[in-house]
Amino acid sequence: MRLNQVLLNLLSNAVKYTQEGGTIQLSLFQEDAPLSKGSDYVRTHIVVKDNGTGMTAEFLEHVFDSYSRADSKRVHKTEGAGLGMAITKYIVDAMEGTITVESEPNKGTEFHVILDLEKADVQEVDMLLPPWKMLVVDDDEVLCRTAVDALESIGIQADWTMSGEKAVEMVTKHHQERDDYQIILLDWKLPGMDGLSIARQIRRMKGYDMPIILISAYDWSEFEAEAREAGINGFISKPLFKSNLFYGLKKYMGEEETEGEANTNMDLSGRHILVAEDNDLNWEILYELLTDLGMELEWAENGKICLEKFEKSESGYYDAILMDVRMPEMNGYEATEAIRALTRADAKTIPIIAMTADAFSEDIKRCLDSGMNAHTAKPINLDEILSLLKRYIL
């Protein structure tokens, strides 16, 4: 969480002080930590670089002071950084790391954070998918290359292209050679033909036997109806991390898809769902999505409130609990364990579904070990939540 705060502070300042048309780069690399730290640590370098307004040598001496801001006409048009950089320095110091800055007026700024982080005992041997042939279509070459690398690491053979027209050409060629792609990842926003136009053209040629998954940083709910009409099967949110791809694609490549389709027409209206979520926006999104389908939702702002609401309810009143993992007062693991320990009959049987951005195999194992029934990764995917609710309620 604190590392995320550091990155947001550095990136928001880079955006704030970089002119329209400028560039901002975020990079990360790792190397062996010093021997004094031991083999359980890895040295991690994070660099945020921009070509914005930059800072004078005099100002650099005070950049980490509270409420510091370079004094120039360009900067006065911008909101102040406030405590952001002071807090950033404090967090890095508390993590026993270093943060340095290089900058020149009108040339840009580069922040360099170095942290020695303890290695996680990550078990990813189970993160493998069938060796399907896939096509990735996106106008960002870096995204294409990193996505293909991530896909190959989970067992998928992948080609890529940055052009919608080229994508149609490649699908056509493979179809004629009887070597069809088995799944397509397709960006929504593309120059020339957009993703939905490409999907329609592929559907006319290939029919509906091949999953086409839309990839975008935009909110899926804003264009889902149009996408479904164009023949899009589902959605994976950018950035395309290995775990996002694994869990996003898994349901289209095995028995989970069949099970989900079998539940499609089952009605959840009138079901009472208790939502433990400390983020107002996430709660509002869930409320709008699920109440539109006739469900009745109740909000618990943290795990402690969730436990109290469940204890005070009549047995069987709630049909399921959607449980955020990271919450104040009492986290999702603790709340689940406390609910399962209650003596009332429904405490052992009520479905509890974890909602978390932590989507690696060890995170899922911890959810299941605490007594949860299943796990869904954030950002929230309505299709996946509905599939899980139907599986455990109906």
Side-chain angles (χ1 to χ4, degrees), residues 135-151 158-162 185-190 213-217 236-242 244-245:
L135 177 63
V136 178
V137 189
D138 195 285
D139 61 343
D140 183 333
E141 181 175 349
V142 173
L143 181 143
C144 287
R145 292 186 180 278
T146 55
V148 166
D149 287 344
L151 289 166
D159 296 331
W160 61 274
T161 179
M162 297 168 58
L185 287 183
L186 182 59
D187 189 23
W188 178 36
K189 295 286 189 180
L190 287 165
I213 314 301
L214 212 61
I215 53 176
S216 177
I236 296 177
S237 178
K238 294 180 181 178
L240 300 181
F241 297 124
K242 176 178 177 177
N244 291 36
L245 289 166

Side-chain angles (χ1 to χ4, degrees), residues 310 319-323 332 335-337 339-340 347 349-354 367-368 370-375 392:
F310 183 79
D319 293 289
I321 299 174
L322 295 177
M323 184 75 77
T336 299
E337 290 168 354
I339 290 170
R340 295 303 190 205
T349 58
I350 184 169
I352 302 179
I353 298 169
C367 290
L368 300 178
S370 70
M372 300 184 194
N373 298 84
H375 166 284
Y392 289 102

Side-chain angles (χ1 to χ4, degrees), residues 155-379:
I156 294 176
Q157 307 170 49
D159 296 331
W160 61 274
T161 179
M162 297 168 58
S163 159
E165 291 79 4
K166 181 66 174 178
V168 173
E169 180 184 319
M170 292 170 72
V171 171
T172 303
K173 180 175 181 292
H174 277 261
H175 183 58
Q176 292 171 343
E177 295 174 351
R178 300 185 181 277
D179 183 29
D180 287 307
Y181 291 111
Q182 293 163 287
I183 194 165
I184 293 178
L185 287 183
L186 182 59
D187 189 23
W188 178 36
K189 295 286 189 180
L190 287 165
M193 294 177 67
D194 65 19
L196 302 191
S197 300
I198 297 167
R200 292 188 184 99
Q201 192 160 334
I202 291 173
R203 290 304 186 204
R204 284 193 292 269
M205 174 179 60
K206 275 274 296 150
Y208 287 79
D209 61 330
M210 175 180 61
I212 301 178
I213 314 301
L214 212 61
I215 53 176
S216 177
Y218 292 87
D219 182 359
W220 168 236
S221 62
E222 292 181 4
F223 50 87
E224 179 180 3
E226 186 182 4
R228 296 284 187 191
E229 183 275 329
I232 300 293
N233 297 86
F235 172 77
I236 296 177
S237 178
K238 294 180 181 178
L240 300 181
F241 297 124
K242 176 178 177 177
S243 54
N244 291 36
L245 289 166
F246 176 77
Y247 293 106
L249 293 170
K250 186 177 180 182
K251 57 190 172 185
Y252 299 100
M253 304 178 74
E255 295 180 1
E256 289 187 18
E257 179 185 7
T258 304
E259 184 177 344
E261 289 175 351
N263 285 329
T264 299
N265 297 318
M266 296 182 183
D267 189 8
L268 288 168
S269 59
R271 300 290 185 166
H272 293 88
I273 311 297
L274 179 58
V275 179
E277 170 61 71
D278 67 322
N279 184 290
D280 295 11
L281 180 59
N282 287 342
W283 154 250
E284 290 171 12
I285 292 170
L286 275 169
Y287 181 83
E288 292 297 330
L289 293 175
L290 298 185
T291 55
D292 278 352
L293 298 172
M295 283 174 261
E296 297 181 19
L297 268 64
E298 193 168 334
W299 186 21
E301 293 91 330
N302 59 53
K304 186 172 181 291
I305 295 173
C306 176
L307 174 62
E308 291 170 353
K309 284 181 176 289
F310 183 79
E311 285 183 297
K312 292 176 182 177
S313 68
E314 295 181 7
S315 182
Y317 175 77
Y318 292 113
D319 293 289
I321 299 174
L322 295 177
M323 184 75 77
D324 186 25
V325 168
R326 296 182 182 274
M327 293 182 290
E329 297 286 337
M330 179 182 284
N331 65 37
Y333 305 120
E334 295 165 339
T336 299
E337 290 168 354
I339 290 170
R340 295 303 190 205
L342 297 174
T343 55
R344 51 189 284 174
D346 59 344
K348 300 289 190 295
T349 58
I350 184 169
I352 302 179
I353 298 169
M355 301 183 299
T356 174
D358 302 324
F360 292 104
S361 54
E362 71 274 13
D363 301 308
I364 298 173
K365 183 178 184 299
R366 187 177 177 191
C367 290
L368 300 178
D369 288 346
S370 70
M372 300 184 194
N373 298 84
H375 166 284
T376 182
K378 289 183 178 180

